[in-house]
Amino acid sequence: MTVRAWAELLRVSALFTVPGDALAGAAATGRRPDRGTALAVGASLCLYEAGMALNDWADRDEDAVDRPHRPIPSGRIAPGAALAAAGALTAAGLGLAARAGRPALAVATGLAATVWAYDLRLKHTPAGPAAMAAARGLDLLLGATATGAAKTTRRGSDTPPGPGVASGPGPGPGPGPGPSPGAGAGAASASAGGPGPGAAEAVRGRVRGALPAAGLLGAHTYAVTAVSRHEAQGGSTTAPLAALAAVTALGAATLRERCGRGPEGPAPAAERGRAAEALRSHPTRATPASTTPRLLLTALTGTYFRTAAGPLVHAALNPSPPLTQRAVGGGIRAMIPLQAALATRAGAAGSGLAVMALAPLARTLARKVSPT
């Protein structure tokens, strides 16, 4: 076993497509990246690589015929070692997610279950692309639930005391009394280490706010996965053409302006109506500060379309295995500008630029280690 063999097994060049999920999820909640976001990125990386190792373990007999150069069929990595790595990486990912809070752990558990179900059972069924799309969407939601988790827990534990909680000094000697048996449910939940009702509602709001971005990223993943099902044998023009149509629609959807939203989800309808009325009554002139994010969003979306669409056109015209694999690789790399565009669309241009900075690294490493 060599470093090169493990790099091929884990497809390390595709790793750069992972951090943008959590950053786009954080941006969708209206919060800045924090410690929870970093933990979500670490958990995502571990679970992604677990899926890569498990994928090759599950496909070892098929790869022995179609792709004998892969690390397991070529004998460079033992099947048991790949399976053990998948288990260890899954445990590490769940451990990191647990440190970001119970909601993040719940999402990470669903993500891990989806990854294992896809590799062991769903990959070669009609449900395969949907499972992969769900995994990418959950990865983005992991970043949304992990970001701001500490602040949410503190806010949820600040539940006003129930009627039975004394608020002043007690009549007897010694320190003031603690909560009586009539204390509110929020205090009991906080003392048990779980989020109070306010924290649970805040988490639900963050998830609702991130669902549109998760849907767009999941739709792209579905299209790329549908193409990847033909990369070993080739021969399909329908899948690349369908993916090309999806990429075009996703680019247009990403460019559309979103309604106003707060850090915990979309703004109420009445609030959006008042904001629209105010804009009609007092129109504002565009300034460089207001047009720059829009220009950046347009540039990032154009990069996404160019990265994904070109190889898909070639694969549709000549559906050979090499060109189909190239289309899949382009679709994987296109996730980076899509994630960057989603973050910028949510108002986090800095996160968008940080995600986009990963693209040259992914492109350089892909020349040495294939992402497919």
Side-chain angles (χ1 to χ4, degrees):
M1 293 185 291
T2 64
V3 173
R4 170 78 184 190
W6 280 103
E8 290 182 21
L9 179 80
L10 300 176
R11 296 170 173 86
V12 293
S13 62
L15 269 181
F16 297 101
T17 70
V18 178
D21 290 346
L23 290 173
T29 69
R31 294 178 177 273
R32 292 184 176 181
D34 58 12
R35 175 179 176 273
T37 314
L39 289 171
V41 170
S44 297
L45 291 170
C46 289
L47 294 176
Y48 188 85
E49 292 293 49
M52 291 298 183
L54 184 64
N55 174 79
D56 273 29
W57 179 84
D59 287 351
R60 60 192 185 279
D61 293 334
E62 179 181 332
D63 285 345
V65 176
D66 296 330
R67 308 175 79 176
H69 61 279
R70 293 295 301 165
I72 292 179
S74 65
R76 289 176 291 156
I77 292 180
L83 182 61
L89 286 166
T90 299
L94 294 177
L96 289 171
R99 297 186 62 185
R102 292 182 183 177
L105 176 59
V107 174
T109 301
L111 173 57
T114 303
V115 169
W116 280 72
Y118 172 82
D119 284 335
L120 297 180
R121 180 67 179 173
L122 301 178
K123 181 177 182 180
H124 299 294
T125 71
M132 281 296 289
R136 272 289 175 173
L138 286 170
D139 202 30
L140 188 145
L141 294 180
L142 176 58
T145 54
T147 302
K151 295 179 182 178
T152 299
T153 303
R154 286 197 298 270
R155 185 170 66 244
S157 64
D158 291 339
T159 304
V165 179
S167 58
S180 74
S189 177
S191 64
E201 179 57 36
V203 171
R204 286 192 291 269
R206 293 205 301 274
V207 171
R208 286 194 298 268
L211 280 176
L216 292 174
L217 190 61
H220 173 81
T221 305
Y222 186 103
V224 175
T225 306
V227 177
S228 72
R229 295 160 77 89
H230 305 279
E231 63 181 342
Q233 304 293 338
S236 173
T237 59
T238 303
L241 286 175
L244 182 61
V247 165
T248 303
L250 290 171
T254 303
L255 283 173
R256 287 163 54 184
E257 293 286 353
R258 294 199 308 170
C259 296
R261 54 178 302 283
E264 304 302 345
E271 183 177 329
R272 295 198 301 267
R274 288 194 297 269
E277 180 63 29
L279 285 175
R280 285 193 296 268
S281 302
H282 304 284
T284 57
R285 292 184 300 173
T287 63
S290 63
T291 57
T292 298
R294 181 67 186 179
L295 292 174
L296 178 60
L297 175 60
T298 302
L300 292 172
T301 306
T303 303
Y304 160 68
F305 182 80
R306 185 174 65 254
T307 303
L312 287 171
V313 171
H314 293 154
L317 294 175
N318 179 11
S320 63
L323 289 181
T324 302
Q325 291 172 15
R326 190 174 301 174
V328 174
I332 293 173
R333 291 193 303 275
M335 289 182 184
I336 295 177
L338 178 58
Q339 294 158 343
L342 292 174
T344 302
R345 178 174 178 254
S351 293
L353 290 173
V355 172
M356 198 59 201
L358 299 173
L361 299 175
R363 188 165 53 250
T364 300
L365 194 55
R367 297 190 184 103
K368 300 179 179 179
V369 180
S370 173
T372 64

